[in-house]
Amino acid sequence: TLAGEEVDFVLVKDNAIVQMIEAKHSDNNISKSLYNFNQKYRLPGVQIVKQLRTERMVGEIKLMNAVNYLESL
């Protein structure tokens, strides 16, 4: 965006965004960009974190352990 916001990945099916993905090593705070895109466009989002102890929902955004997320694909 013009404001410099971005997410790491976007899953697309039939030319429609299915999910936005932000990947982090150890940050368990939701990315500002992911949050802003979720609020503005009402798109599903997930932040995957390599070193995450507790998975949870933050509003409409899933905060997930990276291994668990990848195993669920």
Side-chain angles (χ1 to χ4, degrees), residues 9-73:
F9 305 97
V10 176
L11 295 181
V12 177
K13 183 176 181 179
D14 299 326
N15 291 322
I17 295 175
V18 176
Q19 187 175 62
M20 302 177 296
I21 303 168
E22 185 72 17
K24 300 288 185 185
H25 182 264
S26 61
D27 188 359
N28 63 358
N29 296 312
I30 295 296
S31 151
K32 182 179 176 184
S33 295
L34 180 61
Y35 178 82
N36 288 340
F37 280 122
N38 172 263
Q39 293 296 300
K40 184 173 183 176
Y41 300 108
R42 309 312 293 175
L43 296 169
V46 61
Q47 182 165 310
I48 59 175
V49 182
K50 182 179 180 186
Q51 296 180 352
L52 181 69
R53 293 182 183 166
T54 305
E55 297 184 342
R56 65 185 190 275
M57 291 291 293
V58 178
E60 299 174 6
I61 299 172
K62 294 179 188 176
L63 189 61
M64 292 186 70
N65 177 278
V67 172
N68 292 346
Y69 177 80
L70 294 171
E71 287 177 343
S72 75
L73 295 178

